Amino acid sequence: MKKETMIKINDVSMRFNLGIEKEFSLKQWFVNIFNPRKFKKEKQEFWALKNINFEIKTGEVIGFIGSNGAGKSTLLKIVAGVMKPTKGSIETYGNICPMIELGAGFDMQLTARENIYLNGAILGYSKDLLDSKFDEIIAFSELEEFLDVPVQNFSSGMIARLAFSIATIVDPEILIVDEILAVGDIAFQAKSEAKMMEMITGGTTVLYVSHSLEAIKKLCSKVVWLEKGNIKEIGNTKDICDKYENYTIKHMAGNYDI
Amino acid sequence: MIQKILYNFKKYKFLLQQLVSRDFKVKYKRSVLGILWSLLYPILMMAVLAIVFTNVFKFSTPGVNYLVYLIIGLVIFNYFSEASNLAMSSIVSNFSLINKVYMPKYVFPLSKCLFVGINFLLTLIPLYVVIIVSGTELNIYHLLLPYVFICLFMFTLGMGLLLATISVFLRDMFYIYGIIQTMWLYLTPVMYDISMIPENFQTLFKLNPLYQFINFARSIILYKNIPTIGQWAGCGVSAVVVLIFGIYIFRKKQDKFIYYV
């Protein structure tokens, strides 16, 4: 396969304002006007990502590792287009399927049938695609009997099954995965995991966040290790995973005095 | 640029359609009469107002039927009021979606303005029933009314985009706008005629875009005139200016919405 650049991340930085919540109301606003010192203090900044640079080529499966708050999810959201970076830019070549949060946009009052179209539209699928894949979605989710039942009467496992089935009907060029999603009961978990593995190993470009080093080692061709918004290491899966493991063990030992 | 906008619009037309139909389904799902309420509700509201204003307050307008006069104003004002309110809260109430999936954010205010727009078109049915029952004759100029409806839609969408943007950064706007709307209703000649206002204030009242729209519709339906060039321009200019301003502010600020979740 020809290796073309699929995603290019150019010097991306992302800033969040931590104290932002306090600026929400007029009352606070007035208080702040008369208290400039406090106003300044609230503008505390937090850089979730700092000058991130790398490229992803066609067919690569990139794993992202790092502790909580390292900026992994923020980076995925920027690639998915949900957030615009404060600085820098992102270029993507191909349609993206973000499997970040399933079932976003389900309306609990609507039936499964209605939600397939609503959720599909929210994910950017066309009506034609949904019409042609409708039976496949239903068959995969195994919810034939409940097609015209409002989703609010579903169990959470059933909702997750429906959401998973809708999200995975496309053949995306870029797949973004935040942890392997195994949803539903044991049988469906096996089925959904197999489906995700099929999507990941099917030759598409994958960005994959996980805390399971096992899964990362098994699936990824390259690993990016993020720490406090910086790329700490980038490269070969095995090397980086080993380094990360050592680092975490050392850190834990430091914290807990083992 | 225009090509890109058209491409995007085509791509998200299906989403827009889904959002509007969702609003309809949810609105009427649990009621026995369902979609019939879209007709029944305005009819009953009009009946109540008709009784209050013609029998209790004894308002009247010389030469024309007061009830028709009142209802034209109310139908237009209610569209603006309901659509701008829903559009204002559409961004904040869909934060959980905006935070997770990429989609153009304008679809939310736009879908609300369209949803209320469909309801608005349905309320034209009882309006025409009242027009005919009251003995007000129809005329060919009624065909010009879609112009003012489009202007009203554009103006409302512009206001909706503007309000949605402000309310993301300042949640107090939900309360402030409630008060502004009540003031706006009484400052718009909906229930009374502009001739009841002292003359030196009349020009000021005429600057109100909603007055322009209502006045345009009344000229045609009640006074059977072709609206003057000033009326055409008044509607068109206020609609275009407010829509462009709303789009400008919304586009400029939309990437910051995510920080205020």
Side-chain angles (χ1 to χ4, degrees):
Chain A
M1 192 192 295
K2 218 174 111 205
K3 294 267 178 191
E4 282 171 22
T5 304
M6 280 304 253
I7 301 171
K8 207 167 168 211
I9 297 172
N10 306 317
D11 208 21
V12 161
S13 297
M14 188 73 190
R15 182 187 61 209
F16 290 103
N17 287 347
L18 287 178
I20 221 134
E21 193 160 313
K22 288 181 183 140
E23 287 176 65
F24 270 173
S25 76
L26 260 187
K27 186 184 145 200
Q28 202 61 53
W29 187 66
F30 275 116
V31 172
N32 289 335
I33 283 179
F34 298 113
N35 192 349
R37 200 168 50 91
K38 203 175 162 222
F39 191 68
K40 255 184 203 153
K41 212 171 102 189
E42 276 171 13
K43 292 244 163 159
Q44 268 181 7
E45 289 172 355
F46 169 73
W47 289 89
L49 291 173
K50 295 170 215 159
N51 307 88
I52 304 291
N53 270 302
F54 63 90
E55 264 184 49
I56 298 173
K57 298 215 183 319
T58 315
E60 281 187 322
V61 180
I62 310 285
F64 290 88
I65 53 175
S67 49
N68 290 132
K72 303 184 297 287
S73 295
T74 307
L75 187 59
L76 291 197
K77 278 187 176 177
I78 290 174
V79 174
V82 174
M83 292 179 179
K84 276 251 170 78
T86 317
K87 275 196 252 165
S89 66
I90 289 238
E91 293 159 51
T92 52
Y93 305 91
N95 64 321
I96 301 176
C97 170
M99 305 252 317
I100 299 177
E101 201 109 14
L102 297 181
F106 269 9
D107 193 303
M108 291 298 150
Q109 294 188 60
L110 298 184
T111 64
R113 184 195 299 276
E114 291 162 338
N115 267 310
I116 288 174
Y117 283 94
L118 178 63
N119 186 244
I122 284 168
L123 294 175
Y125 305 167
S126 68
K127 187 171 188 305
D128 295 340
L129 178 77
L130 286 164
D131 282 338
S132 66
K133 299 273 186 173
F134 189 83
D135 295 332
E136 200 180 305
I137 295 171
I138 296 300
F140 194 88
S141 65
E142 299 165 26
L143 293 168
E144 291 92 344
E145 301 157 63
F146 308 103
L147 208 48
D148 294 305
V149 176
V151 170
Q152 61 194 356
N153 299 337
F154 278 26
S155 72
S156 54
M158 285 159 80
I159 292 175
R161 266 157 57 180
L162 184 63
F164 183 91
S165 309
I166 299 169
T168 51
I169 52 158
V170 280
D171 295 316
E173 287 158 282
I174 300 167
L175 180 67
I176 298 179
V177 183
D178 202 340
E179 294 289 350
I180 292 272
L181 294 150
V183 296
D185 53 27
I186 293 174
F188 198 83
Q189 274 179 24
K191 194 170 146 185
S192 55
E193 205 178 317
K195 174 85 185 181
M196 289 222 70
M197 290 300 178
E198 187 194 312
M199 288 180 85
I200 292 174
T201 52
T204 47
T205 309
V206 183
L207 280 75
Y208 174 35
V209 162
S210 181
H211 288 287
S212 154
L213 285 178
E214 287 308 306
I216 295 261
K217 279 179 189 164
K218 204 164 93 190
L219 295 167
C220 299
S221 54
K222 202 168 155 189
V223 166
V224 177
W225 175 7
L226 288 171
E227 206 60 59
K228 290 181 182 152
N230 294 303
I231 295 185
K232 196 161 169 107
E233 298 272 355
I234 182 165
N236 176 286
T237 306
K238 200 180 169 310
D239 300 348
I240 309 289
C241 283
D242 289 345
K243 275 189 195 167
Y244 178 65
E245 245 165 339
N246 287 332
Y247 173 85
T248 339
I249 290 167
K250 228 192 280 171
H251 242 70
M252 268 167 56
N255 284 344
Y256 297 109
D257 243 346
I258 302 172
Chain B
M1 171 89 171
I2 296 206
Q3 229 172 359
K4 203 184 154 207
I5 292 173
L6 280 178
Y7 169 79
N8 254 315
F9 192 75
K10 221 175 133 192
K11 188 174 171 197
Y12 289 103
K13 206 182 88 185
F14 176 53
L15 173 60
L16 209 54
Q17 217 178 329
Q18 283 295 316
L19 290 174
V20 172
S21 87
R22 186 258 305 258
D23 282 340
F24 262 99
K25 284 173 192 155
V26 169
K27 186 167 180 190
Y28 298 115
K29 199 131 224 181
R30 283 299 173 90
S31 58
V32 181
L33 294 177
I35 193 89
L36 216 61
W37 274 115
S38 267
L39 283 176
L40 219 51
Y41 187 77
I43 292 175
L44 295 175
M45 286 302 280
M46 285 177 194
V48 171
L49 288 163
I51 292 165
V52 171
F53 281 99
T54 50
N55 294 322
V56 182
F57 292 133
K58 300 208 190 297
F59 272 44
S60 70
T61 36
V64 294
N65 184 292
Y66 176 70
L67 187 57
V68 176
Y69 183 94
L70 173 69
I71 290 174
I72 294 169
L74 280 174
V75 164
I76 289 178
F77 192 90
N78 281 348
Y79 170 74
F80 169 74
S81 145
E82 201 186 332
S84 62
N85 245 320
L86 286 176
M88 172 168 66
S89 54
S90 65
I91 294 291
V92 170
S93 58
N94 281 301
F95 258 157
S96 58
L97 260 184
I98 290 169
N99 196 12
K100 282 167 196 151
V101 191
Y102 169 75
M103 63 183 87
K105 296 172 186 69
Y106 69 82
V107 295
F108 296 109
L110 179 58
S111 79
K112 293 297 179 191
C113 289
L114 287 171
F115 163 61
V116 184
I118 295 170
N119 266 325
F120 168 82
L121 293 178
L122 287 170
T123 55
L124 292 182
I125 298 171
L127 171 66
Y128 270 89
V129 170
V130 174
I131 289 173
I132 291 162
V133 168
S134 70
T136 310
E137 279 166 42
L138 298 179
N139 59 69
I140 190 80
Y141 306 139
H142 278 246
L143 295 176
L144 300 175
L145 284 172
Y147 171 76
V148 79
F149 297 159
I150 291 168
C151 288
L152 172 66
F153 175 79
M154 286 163 65
F155 172 75
T156 308
L157 181 60
M159 284 297 291
L161 289 168
L162 188 66
L163 289 162
T165 311
I166 296 172
S167 66
V168 169
F169 301 101
L170 189 75
R171 301 293 159 96
D172 309 51
M173 201 57 202
F174 293 112
Y175 307 103
I176 297 170
Y177 188 58
I179 295 159
I180 290 176
Q181 259 188 336
T182 311
M183 280 163 49
W184 204 333
L185 174 63
Y186 288 106
L187 290 174
T188 307
V190 171
M191 301 164 204
Y192 54 87
D193 194 74
I194 193 144
S195 58
M196 291 161 82
I197 306 291
E199 255 181 59
N200 39 350
F201 283 113
Q202 279 188 15
T203 329
L204 204 64
F205 272 65
K206 284 178 181 165
L207 287 176
N208 177 356
L210 289 174
Y211 169 73
Q212 291 289 336
F213 304 142
I214 293 170
N215 188 249
F216 190 100
R218 280 176 181 160
S219 298
I220 290 172
I221 298 172
L222 289 168
Y223 303 103
K224 302 172 184 75
N225 295 327
I226 302 182
T228 63
I229 294 189
Q231 284 177 300
W232 286 88
C235 293
V237 168
S238 50
V240 170
V241 167
V242 170
L243 182 60
I244 289 175
F245 183 66
I247 291 173
Y248 172 74
I249 297 289
F250 190 83
R251 279 179 62 109
K252 203 173 158 195
K253 294 285 179 191
Q254 62 178 350
D255 293 335
K256 300 217 164 71
F257 289 176
I258 204 102
Y259 303 125
Y260 292 82
V261 168

